[in-house]
Amino acid sequence: MKHFSKTLLSVGTALAILGSAAAVQAETLKIALAGPATGPVAQYGDMQKIGVMAAIEDINKSGGVNGMQLEGVIYDDACDPKQAVAVANKIVNDGITHVVGHLCSSSTEPAADVYEEEGVLMITAASTSPSITDKGHQLIFRTIGLDSLQGSMAAEYIANTVKPKTLAIIHDKQQYGEGLAQTVKDGLEAKGIEPVMFEGVTPGDKDFSALIAKLKKENVDFVYYGGYHPELGLILRQSSEKNFSAQFMGPEGIVNADLAKIAGDATEGVLATAPKSFDQNPENKTRVEAIEAKGEDASGPFVFTAYAAVQVMGDAIKAVGDSDPEKMAEYIRSNSFDTSIGKVSYDEKGDLTESTFLVYSLHKDGSKTPAAQ
């Protein structure tokens, strides 16, 4: 009888331990961070990670969300579309139903298809291609504006402020870069400005001497580049070496301190469209200080858009009392949120009803300042 009692006690203790473990597990909500942790644009993945982890830390310190603590789990897609699909399927298989990401539009679009099919809520803090939300998905959102806005702003600035004599548009043949380049081209042509060149380069190329020779031959004095910083950095450096001194401009994909590490002095004065510098917002002062205390950079264009993505998720969970993606999506689409990037609300597609890009001048020390208007 004593042996039987001990057995019951042991079973009861084991069940209690298992119950405690299950309770702890139930009190943690995992959020996947999907983007480039490796590869040539991993720096943008770092920006996203800094923002997401800072938001998670702040929310957890304030008691979490409906009694749950948040946990960020990093998944590396290297900004490669095929790898992004594999990552999306792994996130689904891991049982995670909330994603901040992906980052590169060419990776985000196929991953979003997986999430929509599998009932996973996704908010991208960086992908700007309109086609991502043109499919009628119900679980896909963003905390950044669209290429249609950014490209149109660039075209306006080029036509009304820069007023170049001879313009060329170069892109990296990828969804993000080429899409932006086409939007800029369309905007300029609508104003009667016809580019003398509209050409693509191959990501990963190192030698741009042939391109630069062609630009010089056409007497180009302004180049719009659609793409990311690694290739533009080399184009800038090699242009300087070959005494080609045109003004360059690009999107937020070139706004990275590493551009100056590649291009050196040739970075000075390069123009770029990017989200507002939310790290300069007084309401983010404490957040910026906390990030910088860890030796991290709060100034990246995707840091606070990523922070805001977590805030939107957290507030939606609190409001509906549930982490169910469909319930959250319905609430997100019909309400507004106070975030690190200001008050945000959504249209039926999952795009922001209002978003702001500004034109910046980049500097050789890796900083940026508002460009002359």
Side-chain angles (χ1 to χ4, degrees):
M1 189 69 172
K2 288 182 180 179
H3 176 71
F4 181 64
S5 298
K6 287 181 180 179
T7 301
L8 285 176
L9 181 62
S10 298
V11 171
T13 302
L15 288 172
I17 292 171
L18 287 171
S20 296
V24 170
Q25 186 175 15
E27 291 171 0
T28 300
L29 178 70
K30 292 183 178 180
I31 298 176
L33 286 71
T38 59
V41 292
Q43 296 89 340
Y44 299 113
D46 288 340
M47 295 176 194
Q48 177 177 267
K49 181 184 74 173
I50 290 168
V52 169
M53 292 307 192
I56 287 174
E57 182 176 339
D58 289 346
I59 290 171
N60 285 345
K61 283 181 179 178
S62 298
V65 179
N66 292 357
M68 296 184 292
Q69 292 284 287
L70 305 181
E71 177 186 349
V73 184
I74 297 171
Y75 292 83
D76 180 20
D77 71 2
C79 268
D80 175 81
K82 290 182 180 178
Q83 192 164 325
V85 171
V87 162
N89 283 310
K90 178 163 177 47
I91 287 170
V92 171
N93 291 335
D94 288 347
I96 297 178
T97 54
H98 304 80
V99 177
V100 176
H102 292 225
L103 199 139
C104 297
S105 291
S106 58
S107 298
T108 302
E109 185 163 349
D113 294 341
V114 174
Y115 298 138
E116 182 73 15
E117 179 70 23
E118 298 294 340
V120 174
L121 180 76
M122 185 202 87
I123 303 179
T124 175
S127 296
T128 53
S129 174
S131 62
I132 294 167
T133 47
D134 276 345
K135 298 181 176 182
H137 291 334
Q138 295 301 300
L139 302 177
I140 308 303
F141 300 87
R142 26 180 152 215
T143 48
I144 194 167
L146 301 175
D147 289 343
S148 50
L149 172 63
Q150 183 175 195
S152 296
M153 174 178 285
E156 288 281 341
Y157 188 86
I158 293 167
N160 299 331
T161 303
V162 179
K163 300 176 182 178
K165 294 178 180 178
T166 310
L167 172 118
I169 299 178
I170 310 299
H171 59 82
D172 64 0
K173 302 178 185 177
Q174 298 190 80
Q175 182 176 5
Y176 166 72
E178 186 170 0
L180 263 170
Q182 186 64 53
T183 301
V184 173
K185 180 175 182 286
D186 292 344
L188 289 170
E189 288 177 341
K191 295 177 179 296
I193 301 173
E194 190 71 37
V196 296
M197 290 173 56
F198 185 84
E199 294 190 8
V201 299
T202 302
D205 277 359
K206 305 296 183 186
D207 183 1
F208 297 98
S209 55
L211 171 66
I212 295 166
K214 189 170 183 180
L215 292 168
K216 290 178 74 173
K217 183 180 178 181
E218 295 286 350
N219 294 315
V220 169
D221 65 343
F222 189 92
V223 179
Y224 181 85
Y225 178 77
Y228 295 100
H229 75 279
E231 288 73 34
L232 180 61
L234 292 173
I235 293 171
L236 288 169
R237 190 177 74 196
Q238 291 170 29
S239 292
S240 178
E241 292 168 352
K242 297 179 184 300
N243 297 314
F244 175 60
S245 57
Q247 171 76 63
F248 281 79
M249 185 179 193
E252 89 282 4
I254 70 166
V255 182
N256 189 313
D258 278 13
L259 178 70
K261 293 178 182 178
I262 300 169
D265 290 351
T267 306
E268 190 64 38
V270 170
L271 298 170
T273 49
K276 180 181 176 182
S277 294
F278 297 110
D279 60 302
Q280 300 300 311
N281 187 335
E283 294 181 3
N284 288 328
K285 184 175 183 294
T286 302
R287 295 163 180 156
V288 170
E289 290 173 349
I291 290 170
E292 291 179 343
K294 298 175 184 176
E296 297 174 333
D297 183 5
S299 68
F302 307 131
V303 172
F304 282 103
T305 55
Y307 191 109
V310 180
Q311 287 179 302
V312 170
M313 286 186 182
D315 287 351
I317 293 170
K318 288 179 183 177
V320 302
D322 198 326
S323 60
D324 176 79
E326 291 187 5
K327 293 179 182 177
M328 289 174 62
E330 184 177 346
Y331 183 83
I332 290 170
R333 193 168 271 103
S334 56
N335 288 274
S336 61
F337 303 83
D338 291 316
T339 75
S340 61
I341 62 173
K343 185 176 287 290
V344 302
S345 58
Y346 291 90
D347 63 17
E348 281 303 309
K349 289 185 177 181
D351 295 324
L352 296 175
T353 54
E354 293 183 15
S355 56
T356 302
F357 286 94
L358 301 177
V359 180
Y360 291 94
S361 182
L362 307 185
H363 305 294
K364 61 185 178 182
D365 64 358
S367 67
K368 68 181 186 294
T369 54
Q373 299 298 313

